[in-house]
């Protein structure tokens, strides 16, 4: 157990083992639990504050990486180099699939799982062939999994090498648009009942989606335009029952977009948002239990 120990009252020492507060006695023996008088002390309070701050920091790192993923724009390599020394950032970025970005597009010859960052050499990656290479390009692409034709191969490579991503890129749920898709709405996830509207709102917000005007909203920047995926979760008294409704997409002027005109990321992320929220529905009621 790699723990940094801090002296507390009564000869005890405290530390954080992940999210858990741990304690040793004056003889250095690890205790099964933290004594009440120590847990109520100032040192314990400070460590718990540090724990909460670190978790918030990790969450903000994941949120930023998700914005990079959904905006379909390159990330300066210098930014990745600047944050790499931060263990929270490194934990989110390591093992993501990244590619060199040159001349306005992703370089198919320089793509792989991110292993290391060296300002002098660039970004070290392992390719699908198991070769280690360095990306020296000034910009990096962080491809959405729906855009990776070799997605299953990357999943297999991670499994073989024992790599575990700190951000759900490779195992992110994806939805491919049908070639003959028509209309401007999808009802795949309509009719999901929630005992109280606030449950649907809370589920949406806890998963990182905005809520406005009765809709959960997921913004995506793709193919040079901003697209808003909008999933109906209801309006009115937050303590009243509600049901999910249609999923639609709109541009910046709130003009409805035909599904056939959507890019693969915008369609996939809209469907994913609806799926995630719908999964929290009142299943028992739907099944007549």
């Amino acid at each position: 157990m790699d723990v940094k120990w801090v002296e507390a009252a009564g000869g005890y020492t405290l530390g954080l083992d992940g999210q858990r507060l741990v304690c040793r006695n004056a003889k250095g023996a690890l205790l099964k639990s933290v004594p009440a008088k120590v847990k109520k002390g100032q040192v314990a309070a400070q460590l718990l504050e540090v724990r909460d701050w670190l978790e918030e920091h990790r969450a903000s790192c994941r949120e930023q990486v998700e914005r990079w993923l959904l905006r379909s724009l390159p990330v300066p390599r210098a930014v990745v180099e600047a944050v790499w020394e931060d263990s929270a950032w490194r934990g989110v970025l390591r093992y993501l699939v990244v590619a060199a970005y040159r001349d306005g597009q992703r370089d198919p010859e320089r793509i792989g799982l991110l292993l290391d960052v060296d300002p002098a050499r660039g970004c070290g990656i392992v390719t699908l062939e198991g070769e280690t290479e360095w990306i020296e390009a000034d910009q990096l692409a962080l491809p959405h999994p729906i855009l990776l034709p070799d997605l299953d191969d990357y999943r297999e490579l991670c499994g073989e090498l024992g790599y575990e991503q700190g951000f759900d890129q490779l195992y992110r749920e994806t939805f491919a648009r049908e070639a003959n898709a028509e209309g401007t709405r999808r009802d795949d996830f309509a009719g999901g009942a929630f005992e109280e509207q606030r449950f649907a709102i809370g589920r949406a917000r806890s998963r990182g989606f905005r809520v406005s005007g009765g809709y959960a909203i997921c913004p995506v920047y793709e193919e040079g335009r901003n697209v808003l995926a909008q999933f109906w979760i209801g309006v009115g008294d937050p303590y009243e029952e509600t049901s999910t409704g249609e999923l639609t997409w709109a541009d910046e002027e709130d003009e409805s977009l035909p599904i056939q005109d959507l890019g693969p990321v915008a369609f996939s992320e809209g469907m994913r948002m609806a799926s995630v929220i719908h999964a929290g529905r009142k299943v028992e009621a739907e099944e007549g239990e």
Side-chain angles (χ1 to χ4, degrees):
M1 183 169 59
D2 185 18
V3 175
K4 303 296 183 183
W5 297 99
V6 181
E7 292 185 5
Y12 293 97
T13 53
L14 294 173
L16 291 174
D17 181 18
Q19 297 293 302
R20 188 167 65 97
L21 186 68
V22 291
C23 181
R24 297 188 308 188
N25 61 23
K27 296 181 179 180
L30 183 65
L31 304 180
K32 291 183 178 180
S33 61
V34 182
K37 63 179 181 180
V38 181
K39 196 171 185 177
K40 294 178 181 179
Q42 184 177 8
V43 173
Q46 291 173 340
L47 283 174
L48 292 175
E49 287 178 4
V50 170
R51 179 197 64 183
D52 294 343
W53 181 88
L54 288 173
E55 182 51 40
E56 290 175 4
H57 178 48
R58 282 189 288 266
S60 69
C61 294
R62 289 192 293 268
E63 290 170 4
Q64 181 59 61
V65 170
E66 184 164 56
R67 282 193 287 271
W68 290 343
L69 191 79
L70 299 187
R71 71 175 190 164
S72 301
L73 289 174
V75 179
R77 197 187 83 200
V79 171
V80 177
E81 292 175 355
V83 301
W84 188 255
E85 290 303 313
D86 184 324
S87 61
W89 270 107
R90 192 166 60 251
V92 175
L93 292 172
R94 180 169 277 163
Y95 309 136
L96 293 183
V97 177
V98 298
Y101 190 88
R102 297 187 179 93
D103 302 322
Q105 61 183 355
R106 194 175 71 205
D107 184 348
E109 301 300 322
R110 279 289 184 272
I111 183 171
L113 301 173
L114 180 63
L115 296 183
D116 199 5
V117 173
D118 185 334
R121 304 178 70 184
C123 292
I125 61 171
V126 59
T127 67
L128 282 178
E129 292 72 34
E131 300 294 331
T132 302
E133 300 179 0
W134 292 89
I135 295 177
E136 299 178 350
D138 292 335
Q139 294 181 310
L140 299 173
L142 180 60
H144 190 282
I146 197 71
L147 303 178
L148 288 173
D150 301 319
L151 179 59
D152 289 338
D153 294 330
Y154 278 111
R155 288 174 175 173
E156 184 177 351
L157 180 63
C158 277
E160 291 176 351
L161 298 177
Y163 295 163
E164 184 175 345
Q165 290 190 325
F167 174 79
D168 62 341
Q169 180 194 35
L170 292 181
Y171 292 94
R172 192 180 189 86
E173 188 176 19
T174 59
F175 297 82
R177 187 192 62 194
E178 303 88 342
N180 60 349
E182 298 179 350
T184 60
R185 59 183 282 174
R186 294 292 294 253
D187 295 314
D188 307 57
F189 302 103
F194 286 80
E195 290 184 346
E196 298 180 17
Q197 186 189 123
R198 65 192 180 97
F199 296 159
I201 294 173
R203 185 169 179 84
R205 287 177 173 165
S206 69
R207 268 62 176 182
F209 305 116
R210 291 195 289 114
V211 176
S212 177
Y215 288 93
I217 300 171
C218 176
V220 174
Y221 183 82
E222 186 176 19
E223 299 175 353
R225 68 177 179 181
N226 288 305
V227 176
L228 296 178
Q230 304 172 128
F231 182 50
W232 179 257
I233 58 174
V235 292
D237 189 337
Y239 292 92
E240 293 292 331
E241 186 175 358
T242 191
S243 292
T244 57
E246 77 278 5
L247 169 65
T248 59
W249 289 262
D251 60 18
E252 290 181 286
E253 284 71 43
D254 202 28
E255 293 292 329
S256 183
L257 295 172
I259 293 176
Q260 193 60 240
D261 292 347
L262 298 173
V265 177
F267 178 80
S268 182
E269 286 298 312
M271 293 288 285
R272 175 180 175 272
M273 172 178 65
S275 172
V276 166
I277 296 173
H278 183 263
R281 68 196 184 282
K282 187 174 58 174
V283 178
E284 295 80 4
E286 290 190 350
E287 295 177 350
E289 297 180 3

